[in-house]
Amino acid sequence: MTYDTALDAALNRLHQEGRYRTFIDIERQRGRFPRANWHRPDGTTQEITVWCGNDYLGMGQHPEVLAAMHEAIEVSGAGSGGTRNISGTTVYHKRLEAELSDLHRKEAALVFSSAYVANDATLSTLRAIFPGLIIYSDALNHASMIEGVRRGGGEKRIFRHNDVAHLRELLAKDDPAAPKLIAFESVYSMDGDFGPIAAICDLADEFNALTYLDEVHAVGMYGPRGAGVAERDGQMHRIDIINATLAKAYGVFGGYIAATAKMVDAVRSYAPGFIFTTSLPPAVAAGGAASVRILKSAQHLRDAQQLNAKILKMRLKGLGLPIIDHGSHIVPVHVGNPIHCKMMSDLLLEEHGIYVQPINFPTVPRGTERLRFTPSPVHDAGQIDRLVKAMDSLWRQCALNRAQASA
Protein backbone atom coordinates (compact mmCIF):
# COMPACT_ATOMS: atom_id res chain seq x y z
CA MET A 1 0.00 0.00 0.00
CA THR A 2 1.09 3.57 -0.71
CA TYR A 3 0.04 5.20 2.52
CA ASP A 4 0.23 8.80 1.30
CA THR A 5 -2.01 7.93 -1.64
CA ALA A 6 -4.59 6.40 0.71
CA LEU A 7 -4.46 9.47 2.94
CA ASP A 8 -4.92 11.77 -0.06
CA ALA A 9 -7.90 9.73 -1.26
CA ALA A 10 -9.56 9.79 2.15
CA LEU A 11 -9.16 13.55 2.51
CA ASN A 12 -10.19 14.25 -1.08
CA ARG A 13 -13.46 12.37 -0.50
CA LEU A 14 -14.30 14.76 2.33
CA HIS A 15 -13.52 17.80 0.18
CA GLN A 16 -15.60 16.48 -2.74
CA GLU A 17 -18.56 15.76 -0.49
CA GLY A 18 -18.35 19.24 1.00
CA ARG A 19 -17.87 17.98 4.55
CA TYR A 20 -14.17 18.55 5.17
CA ARG A 21 -13.97 20.15 8.62
CA THR A 22 -12.16 23.46 8.84
CA PHE A 23 -10.97 24.67 12.23
CA ILE A 24 -11.55 28.39 12.73
CA ASP A 25 -8.76 29.91 14.82
CA ILE A 26 -10.45 32.22 17.33
CA GLU A 27 -9.45 34.01 20.50
CA ARG A 28 -12.35 34.58 22.87
CA GLN A 29 -12.44 37.94 24.61
CA ARG A 30 -13.05 37.70 28.35
CA GLY A 31 -15.67 40.18 29.45
CA ARG A 32 -16.86 40.64 25.86
CA PHE A 33 -18.38 37.25 25.05
CA PRO A 34 -19.70 36.34 22.53
CA ARG A 35 -17.14 38.48 20.75
CA ALA A 36 -13.88 36.89 19.66
CA ASN A 37 -10.91 37.64 17.44
CA TRP A 38 -10.68 35.53 14.29
CA HIS A 39 -7.10 34.93 13.20
CA ARG A 40 -7.56 34.71 9.45
CA PRO A 41 -5.43 32.44 7.25
CA ASP A 42 -3.79 35.53 5.69
CA GLY A 43 -2.39 36.56 9.09
CA THR A 44 -4.84 39.40 9.75
CA THR A 45 -7.25 39.56 12.69
CA GLN A 46 -10.97 40.33 12.55
CA GLU A 47 -13.46 40.71 15.39
CA ILE A 48 -16.39 38.32 15.04
CA THR A 49 -19.49 37.23 16.98
CA VAL A 50 -19.62 33.55 17.94
CA TRP A 51 -23.06 31.99 17.35
CA CYS A 52 -22.21 28.30 17.69
CA GLY A 53 -20.52 28.09 21.09
CA ASN A 54 -21.62 25.69 23.82
CA ASP A 55 -20.87 28.18 26.62
CA TYR A 56 -24.64 28.59 26.69
CA LEU A 57 -24.87 31.02 29.62
CA GLY A 58 -21.54 32.84 29.34
CA MET A 59 -20.21 31.22 32.52
CA GLY A 60 -16.77 30.92 30.94
CA GLN A 61 -16.24 34.59 31.83
CA HIS A 62 -18.11 34.76 35.16
CA PRO A 63 -15.94 36.64 37.71
CA GLU A 64 -16.57 34.15 40.52
CA VAL A 65 -15.67 31.20 38.31
CA LEU A 66 -12.44 32.88 37.22
CA ALA A 67 -11.60 33.87 40.79
CA ALA A 68 -12.05 30.28 41.98
CA MET A 69 -9.74 29.04 39.23
CA HIS A 70 -7.08 31.67 40.00
CA GLU A 71 -7.18 30.79 43.68
CA ALA A 72 -6.75 27.07 42.97
CA ILE A 73 -3.78 27.76 40.69
CA GLU A 74 -2.11 29.83 43.39
CA VAL A 75 -2.70 27.12 46.00
CA SER A 76 -2.16 23.90 44.03
CA GLY A 77 -0.36 24.81 40.80
CA ALA A 78 -1.22 23.61 37.32
CA GLY A 79 -1.98 19.88 37.12
CA SER A 80 -3.39 17.35 39.55
CA GLY A 81 -0.26 15.20 39.46
CA GLY A 82 -1.91 11.85 38.86
CA THR A 83 -4.96 9.66 38.46
CA ARG A 84 -7.70 9.86 41.05
CA ASN A 85 -6.33 6.69 42.65
CA ILE A 86 -2.70 7.83 42.69
CA SER A 87 -2.36 11.31 44.21
CA GLY A 88 -4.87 12.95 41.85
CA THR A 89 -7.82 13.37 44.22
CA THR A 90 -7.74 16.85 45.73
CA VAL A 91 -10.10 18.87 47.88
CA TYR A 92 -11.25 20.60 44.68
CA HIS A 93 -12.38 17.33 43.11
CA LYS A 94 -14.26 16.37 46.26
CA ARG A 95 -15.96 19.78 46.42
CA LEU A 96 -17.00 19.51 42.80
CA GLU A 97 -18.49 16.05 43.27
CA ALA A 98 -20.33 17.23 46.37
CA GLU A 99 -21.85 20.13 44.40
CA LEU A 100 -22.89 17.75 41.61
CA SER A 101 -24.48 15.13 43.86
CA ASP A 102 -26.39 17.92 45.61
CA LEU A 103 -27.45 19.38 42.25
CA HIS A 104 -29.02 16.11 41.10
CA ARG A 105 -30.20 15.02 44.57
CA LYS A 106 -28.14 11.84 44.29
CA GLU A 107 -25.96 10.16 46.88
CA ALA A 108 -22.76 10.54 44.89
CA ALA A 109 -21.14 11.89 41.73
CA LEU A 110 -18.01 10.97 39.81
CA VAL A 111 -16.03 13.41 37.64
CA PHE A 112 -14.38 12.34 34.37
CA SER A 113 -12.18 14.22 31.91
CA SER A 114 -15.20 14.74 29.61
CA ALA A 115 -18.84 13.77 29.25
CA TYR A 116 -17.81 11.67 26.23
CA VAL A 117 -15.46 9.64 28.42
CA ALA A 118 -18.07 9.46 31.18
CA ASN A 119 -20.63 7.99 28.76
CA ASP A 120 -18.19 5.64 27.08
CA ALA A 121 -16.58 4.43 30.30
CA THR A 122 -19.79 4.02 32.29
CA LEU A 123 -21.93 2.32 29.65
CA SER A 124 -19.18 -0.09 28.65
CA THR A 125 -18.36 -0.89 32.28
CA LEU A 126 -21.95 -1.66 33.28
CA ARG A 127 -21.64 -4.91 31.31
CA ALA A 128 -19.00 -6.10 33.77
CA ILE A 129 -21.09 -5.07 36.77
CA PHE A 130 -24.34 -6.60 35.51
CA PRO A 131 -23.55 -9.77 33.49
CA GLY A 132 -25.99 -10.34 30.65
CA LEU A 133 -27.12 -6.70 30.67
CA ILE A 134 -29.30 -5.71 27.69
CA ILE A 135 -29.00 -2.03 26.77
CA TYR A 136 -31.89 -0.29 24.97
CA SER A 137 -30.52 2.78 23.21
CA ASP A 138 -32.35 5.60 21.44
CA ALA A 139 -31.48 5.70 17.72
CA LEU A 140 -30.27 9.31 17.97
CA ASN A 141 -28.12 8.93 21.07
CA HIS A 142 -24.78 10.75 21.07
CA ALA A 143 -21.72 9.06 19.58
CA SER A 144 -20.21 8.63 23.05
CA MET A 145 -23.22 6.60 24.20
CA ILE A 146 -23.18 4.52 21.03
CA GLU A 147 -19.48 3.81 21.53
CA GLY A 148 -19.98 2.83 25.16
CA VAL A 149 -22.82 0.46 24.30
CA ARG A 150 -20.86 -1.08 21.42
CA ARG A 151 -17.54 -1.37 23.22
CA GLY A 152 -19.02 -3.09 26.23
CA GLY A 153 -20.16 -5.99 24.06
CA GLY A 154 -23.29 -7.95 24.89
CA GLU A 155 -26.87 -7.52 23.77
CA LYS A 156 -28.24 -4.18 22.62
CA ARG A 157 -31.52 -3.00 21.19
CA ILE A 158 -31.96 0.24 19.23
CA PHE A 159 -35.40 1.83 19.53
CA ARG A 160 -36.68 4.43 17.09
CA HIS A 161 -36.04 7.96 18.25
CA ASN A 162 -38.38 8.91 21.12
CA ASP A 163 -40.68 6.03 20.12
CA VAL A 164 -41.97 4.69 23.44
CA ALA A 165 -44.22 2.12 21.75
CA HIS A 166 -41.23 0.63 19.90
CA LEU A 167 -39.22 0.58 23.13
CA ARG A 168 -42.06 -1.29 24.82
CA GLU A 169 -42.09 -3.89 22.02
CA LEU A 170 -38.37 -4.50 22.42
CA LEU A 171 -38.55 -4.76 26.21
CA ALA A 172 -41.49 -7.17 26.04
CA LYS A 173 -39.63 -9.55 23.71
CA ASP A 174 -36.70 -10.11 26.07
CA ASP A 175 -36.32 -12.41 29.05
CA PRO A 176 -38.08 -10.77 32.02
CA ALA A 177 -35.26 -11.95 34.28
CA ALA A 178 -32.47 -10.37 32.21
CA PRO A 179 -30.91 -7.17 33.57
CA LYS A 180 -31.89 -4.18 31.44
CA LEU A 181 -30.88 -0.55 31.00
CA ILE A 182 -32.56 2.18 28.92
CA ALA A 183 -30.13 4.84 27.67
CA PHE A 184 -31.48 8.10 26.25
CA GLU A 185 -31.05 11.89 26.28
CA SER A 186 -33.07 14.76 27.68
CA VAL A 187 -32.20 17.27 24.93
CA TYR A 188 -30.99 15.99 21.56
CA SER A 189 -28.55 18.64 20.47
CA MET A 190 -28.90 18.55 16.69
CA ASP A 191 -32.71 18.96 16.48
CA GLY A 192 -33.23 20.41 19.95
CA ASP A 193 -36.06 18.01 20.84
CA PHE A 194 -36.76 16.51 24.25
CA GLY A 195 -36.74 12.88 25.36
CA PRO A 196 -40.00 11.51 26.87
CA ILE A 197 -38.51 11.04 30.32
CA ALA A 198 -41.66 10.20 32.29
CA ALA A 199 -42.91 7.68 29.72
CA ILE A 200 -39.54 5.93 29.57
CA CYS A 201 -39.35 5.81 33.36
CA ASP A 202 -42.81 4.22 33.41
CA LEU A 203 -41.53 1.47 31.10
CA ALA A 204 -38.43 1.05 33.23
CA ASP A 205 -40.63 0.52 36.28
CA GLU A 206 -42.81 -1.97 34.43
CA PHE A 207 -39.92 -4.02 33.02
CA ASN A 208 -37.51 -3.63 35.97
CA ALA A 209 -34.92 -1.71 33.91
CA LEU A 210 -32.33 0.81 34.98
CA THR A 211 -32.49 4.29 33.43
CA TYR A 212 -29.47 6.17 32.06
CA LEU A 213 -30.09 9.79 31.07
CA ASP A 214 -27.67 12.07 29.22
CA GLU A 215 -28.39 15.65 30.33
CA VAL A 216 -25.33 17.17 28.65
CA HIS A 217 -27.24 19.89 26.77
CA ALA A 218 -29.68 20.50 29.63
CA VAL A 219 -27.72 20.92 32.86
CA GLY A 220 -27.56 24.54 33.94
CA MET A 221 -30.31 25.30 31.42
CA TYR A 222 -33.49 23.72 32.78
CA GLY A 223 -35.05 23.11 36.18
CA PRO A 224 -35.32 25.46 39.18
CA ARG A 225 -31.68 24.81 40.11
CA GLY A 226 -30.37 23.98 36.64
CA ALA A 227 -30.21 20.22 37.19
CA GLY A 228 -31.75 19.57 33.78
CA VAL A 229 -34.98 18.50 32.12
CA ALA A 230 -35.50 15.63 34.57
CA GLU A 231 -35.59 18.19 37.39
CA ARG A 232 -37.89 20.48 35.40
CA ASP A 233 -40.30 17.59 34.80
CA GLY A 234 -40.14 16.24 38.35
CA GLN A 235 -38.54 12.96 37.20
CA MET A 236 -35.01 13.25 38.55
CA HIS A 237 -35.61 10.76 41.38
CA ARG A 238 -36.61 8.14 38.80
CA ILE A 239 -33.30 8.25 36.91
CA ASP A 240 -30.70 5.75 38.08
CA ILE A 241 -27.65 7.29 36.37
CA ILE A 242 -27.39 10.87 35.12
CA ASN A 243 -24.57 11.86 32.77
CA ALA A 244 -23.70 15.49 32.10
CA THR A 245 -20.94 17.97 31.38
CA LEU A 246 -19.18 20.96 32.87
CA ALA A 247 -18.13 22.19 29.42
CA LYS A 248 -21.39 23.67 28.13
CA ALA A 249 -23.75 25.69 30.33
CA TYR A 250 -21.19 25.62 33.15
CA GLY A 251 -18.54 27.07 30.87
CA VAL A 252 -15.55 25.06 32.14
CA PHE A 253 -14.43 21.50 31.30
CA GLY A 254 -15.07 17.89 32.26
CA GLY A 255 -17.94 15.41 32.55
CA TYR A 256 -19.57 13.37 35.28
CA ILE A 257 -22.17 10.87 36.37
CA ALA A 258 -24.47 11.10 39.40
CA ALA A 259 -26.16 8.07 40.97
CA THR A 260 -26.38 6.06 44.17
CA ALA A 261 -23.21 5.70 46.22
CA LYS A 262 -23.04 1.99 45.33
CA MET A 263 -23.42 2.62 41.60
CA VAL A 264 -20.75 5.33 41.60
CA ASP A 265 -18.42 3.15 43.67
CA ALA A 266 -18.81 0.25 41.23
CA VAL A 267 -18.13 2.42 38.16
CA ARG A 268 -15.18 4.08 39.94
CA SER A 269 -13.74 0.67 40.74
CA TYR A 270 -14.22 -1.01 37.34
CA ALA A 271 -14.09 1.63 34.58
CA PRO A 272 -10.67 1.80 32.82
CA GLY A 273 -11.62 5.19 31.36
CA PHE A 274 -11.73 6.53 34.90
CA ILE A 275 -9.04 4.46 36.60
CA PHE A 276 -6.25 5.14 34.10
CA THR A 277 -6.90 8.83 33.31
CA THR A 278 -5.18 11.75 35.00
CA SER A 279 -7.72 13.74 36.97
CA LEU A 280 -8.85 17.25 36.06
CA PRO A 281 -6.47 20.08 36.99
CA PRO A 282 -7.48 21.49 40.40
CA ALA A 283 -8.22 24.89 38.87
CA VAL A 284 -10.69 23.33 36.44
CA ALA A 285 -12.41 21.42 39.23
CA ALA A 286 -12.59 24.61 41.31
CA GLY A 287 -14.08 26.58 38.43
CA GLY A 288 -16.62 23.85 37.76
CA ALA A 289 -17.71 23.74 41.40
CA ALA A 290 -18.14 27.52 41.46
CA SER A 291 -20.17 27.52 38.26
CA VAL A 292 -22.48 24.72 39.44
CA ARG A 293 -23.02 26.51 42.75
CA ILE A 294 -23.77 29.85 41.07
CA LEU A 295 -26.26 28.44 38.55
CA LYS A 296 -28.29 26.76 41.27
CA SER A 297 -29.73 30.23 41.96
CA ALA A 298 -29.27 32.06 38.65
CA GLN A 299 -32.69 31.68 37.07
CA HIS A 300 -32.31 35.11 35.47
CA LEU A 301 -29.59 33.72 33.16
CA ARG A 302 -31.79 30.79 32.10
CA ASP A 303 -34.71 33.15 31.48
CA ALA A 304 -32.58 35.53 29.41
CA GLN A 305 -31.20 32.67 27.33
CA GLN A 306 -34.64 31.24 26.63
CA LEU A 307 -35.94 34.69 25.67
CA ASN A 308 -33.12 35.23 23.16
CA ALA A 309 -33.71 31.77 21.68
CA LYS A 310 -37.43 32.53 21.25
CA ILE A 311 -36.69 35.89 19.65
CA LEU A 312 -34.20 34.41 17.19
CA LYS A 313 -36.55 31.56 16.24
CA MET A 314 -39.46 33.94 15.76
CA ARG A 315 -37.50 36.30 13.54
CA LEU A 316 -35.95 33.54 11.41
CA LYS A 317 -39.34 31.88 11.00
CA GLY A 318 -40.70 35.26 9.94
CA LEU A 319 -38.25 35.17 7.03
CA GLY A 320 -39.58 31.78 5.99
CA LEU A 321 -36.41 29.92 6.92
CA PRO A 322 -36.77 26.19 7.73
CA ILE A 323 -36.25 26.31 11.49
CA ILE A 324 -36.34 23.08 13.49
CA ASP A 325 -38.20 24.13 16.64
CA HIS A 326 -39.02 21.72 19.45
CA GLY A 327 -39.09 24.39 22.15
CA SER A 328 -35.53 24.03 23.43
CA HIS A 329 -32.71 26.57 23.50
CA ILE A 330 -31.11 25.21 20.31
CA VAL A 331 -31.88 26.89 16.96
CA PRO A 332 -31.09 24.67 13.93
CA VAL A 333 -31.67 25.98 10.40
CA HIS A 334 -32.07 23.12 7.92
CA VAL A 335 -29.95 23.56 4.77
CA GLY A 336 -29.95 19.98 3.46
CA ASN A 337 -26.79 20.14 1.37
CA PRO A 338 -23.20 19.97 2.71
CA ILE A 339 -21.74 22.28 0.06
CA HIS A 340 -24.43 24.94 0.51
CA CYS A 341 -24.13 24.62 4.29
CA LYS A 342 -20.38 25.23 4.20
CA MET A 343 -20.80 28.08 1.73
CA MET A 344 -23.31 29.87 3.96
CA SER A 345 -21.06 29.39 6.98
CA ASP A 346 -18.09 30.83 5.07
CA LEU A 347 -20.08 33.85 3.82
CA LEU A 348 -21.49 34.60 7.26
CA LEU A 349 -17.96 34.65 8.64
CA GLU A 350 -16.17 36.49 5.86
CA GLU A 351 -18.82 39.05 4.92
CA HIS A 352 -20.70 39.57 8.19
CA GLY A 353 -18.29 38.61 11.00
CA ILE A 354 -20.71 35.92 12.21
CA TYR A 355 -19.28 32.52 13.12
CA VAL A 356 -21.55 29.46 12.94
CA GLN A 357 -20.04 26.10 12.13
CA PRO A 358 -21.73 23.93 9.46
CA ILE A 359 -23.09 20.64 10.83
CA ASN A 360 -22.64 17.82 8.32
CA PHE A 361 -22.51 14.02 8.19
CA PRO A 362 -21.66 12.01 10.30
CA THR A 363 -22.84 14.37 13.06
CA VAL A 364 -26.24 14.45 11.33
CA PRO A 365 -27.64 12.15 8.58
CA ARG A 366 -26.89 13.03 4.95
CA GLY A 367 -29.45 15.42 3.54
CA THR A 368 -30.11 17.03 6.92
CA GLU A 369 -27.09 19.35 7.00
CA ARG A 370 -27.74 22.48 9.01
CA LEU A 371 -26.48 25.64 10.64
CA ARG A 372 -26.94 25.35 14.41
CA PHE A 373 -27.23 28.60 16.36
CA THR A 374 -26.88 28.74 20.13
CA PRO A 375 -28.16 32.07 21.50
CA SER A 376 -27.03 33.04 24.98
CA PRO A 377 -27.80 35.75 27.56
CA VAL A 378 -24.66 37.59 26.41
CA HIS A 379 -25.90 38.01 22.83
CA ASP A 380 -27.51 41.44 22.64
CA ALA A 381 -30.37 42.76 20.51
CA GLY A 382 -28.01 44.33 17.99
CA GLN A 383 -26.14 41.06 17.44
CA ILE A 384 -29.41 39.19 16.95
CA ASP A 385 -30.55 41.82 14.46
CA ARG A 386 -27.31 41.59 12.46
CA LEU A 387 -27.56 37.80 12.35
CA VAL A 388 -31.17 37.87 11.13
CA LYS A 389 -30.41 40.42 8.41
CA ALA A 390 -27.35 38.44 7.27
CA MET A 391 -29.34 35.20 7.11
CA ASP A 392 -32.10 36.94 5.14
CA SER A 393 -29.62 38.26 2.58
CA LEU A 394 -27.65 35.03 2.21
CA TRP A 395 -30.69 32.77 2.09
CA ARG A 396 -32.21 34.77 -0.75
CA GLN A 397 -28.83 34.83 -2.51
CA CYS A 398 -28.44 31.05 -2.21
CA ALA A 399 -32.02 30.48 -3.39
CA LEU A 400 -31.32 32.64 -6.46
CA ASN A 401 -28.12 30.73 -7.20
CA ARG A 402 -29.94 27.39 -6.95
CA ALA A 403 -32.70 28.64 -9.25
CA GLN A 404 -30.18 29.83 -11.85
CA ALA A 405 -28.25 26.55 -11.66
CA SER A 406 -31.39 24.51 -12.34
CA ALA A 407 -32.67 26.77 -15.15
Side-chain angles (χ1 to χ4, degrees), residues 344-385:
M344 287 197 68
S345 172
D346 289 345
L347 291 172
L348 282 168
L349 183 63
E350 293 165 4
E351 296 183 2
H352 300 276
I354 291 169
Y355 173 37
V356 57
Q357 191 74 9
I359 307 295
N360 295 326
F361 178 84
T363 306
V364 295
R366 297 179 193 276
T368 69
E369 292 81 7
R370 66 201 64 185
L371 298 174
R372 177 180 173 273
F373 298 96
T374 53
S376 75
V378 295
H379 285 93
D380 61 35
Q383 290 164 340
I384 294 175
D385 192 57

Side-chain angles (χ1 to χ4, degrees), residues 166-184:
H166 186 220
L167 174 59
R168 167 182 278 283
E169 290 176 17
L170 296 175
L171 286 162
K173 288 178 181 177
D174 284 319
D175 181 357
K180 302 174 179 67
L181 179 140
I182 306 170
F184 63 111

Side-chain angles (χ1 to χ4, degrees), residues 5-230:
T5 301
L7 290 170
D8 288 338
L11 293 170
N12 285 336
R13 281 197 301 272
L14 296 178
H15 283 288
Q16 291 166 4
E17 294 172 12
R19 60 186 186 93
Y20 178 78
R21 300 183 183 222
T22 302
F23 294 165
I24 306 300
D25 184 5
I26 68 170
E27 182 180 19
R28 287 167 30 118
Q29 299 177 18
R30 186 188 68 178
R32 302 191 70 219
F33 293 177
R35 298 184 186 277
N37 289 324
W38 172 34
H39 295 276
R40 301 171 63 103
D42 63 6
T44 61
T45 300
Q46 176 184 339
E47 185 175 84
I48 61 171
T49 303
V50 178
W51 274 99
C52 57
N54 285 334
D55 187 357
Y56 290 140
L57 300 177
M59 294 302 289
Q61 64 180 350
H62 195 287
E64 291 183 50
V65 173
L66 301 184
M69 297 183 76
H70 280 293
E71 179 184 352
I73 289 174
E74 292 301 322
V75 171
S76 295
S80 68
T83 64
R84 288 293 296 273
N85 184 52
I86 305 175
S87 82
T89 296
T90 71
V91 294
Y92 301 103
H93 297 87
K94 299 301 290 183
R95 289 173 190 168
L96 173 56
E97 289 171 345
E99 287 284 0
L100 293 169
S101 61
D102 172 74
L103 174 69
H104 294 289
R105 305 300 192 196
K106 299 296 184 186
E107 293 177 348
L110 190 66
V111 173
F112 293 76
S113 54
S114 72
Y116 188 108
V117 173
N119 268 335
D120 183 10
T122 302
L123 286 167
S124 61
T125 297
L126 290 174
R127 305 280 197 186
I129 299 170
F130 304 109
L133 179 68
I134 304 171
I135 298 181
Y136 303 79
S137 180
D138 188 284
L140 293 189
N141 275 344
H142 189 265
S144 58
M145 300 175 77
I146 294 170
E147 182 61 24
V149 172
R150 180 189 297 127
R151 198 164 58 80
E155 295 292 323
K156 65 178 182 292
R157 312 281 185 258
I158 309 301
F159 61 94
R160 291 186 292 270
H161 177 54
N162 279 351
D163 191 332
V164 178
H166 186 220
L167 174 59
R168 167 182 278 283
E169 290 176 17
L170 296 175
L171 286 162
K173 288 178 181 177
D174 284 319
D175 181 357
K180 302 174 179 67
L181 179 140
I182 306 170
F184 63 111
E185 299 185 37
S186 62
V187 178
Y188 290 85
S189 63
M190 290 300 111
D191 284 349
D193 57 334
F194 295 96
I197 298 175
I200 287 178
C201 287
D202 288 344
L203 285 181
D205 291 343
E206 181 180 348
F207 290 93
N208 190 32
L210 295 170
T211 49
Y212 186 103
L213 180 63
D214 182 306
E215 290 258 34
V216 160
H217 288 273
V219 288
M221 307 293 294
Y222 299 91
R225 298 202 310 154
V229 179

Side-chain angles (χ1 to χ4, degrees), residues 81 85 128 158 165 266 276 293 341 365 393 398:
N85 184 52
I158 309 301
F276 298 106
R293 174 179 53 78
C341 198
S393 172
C398 288

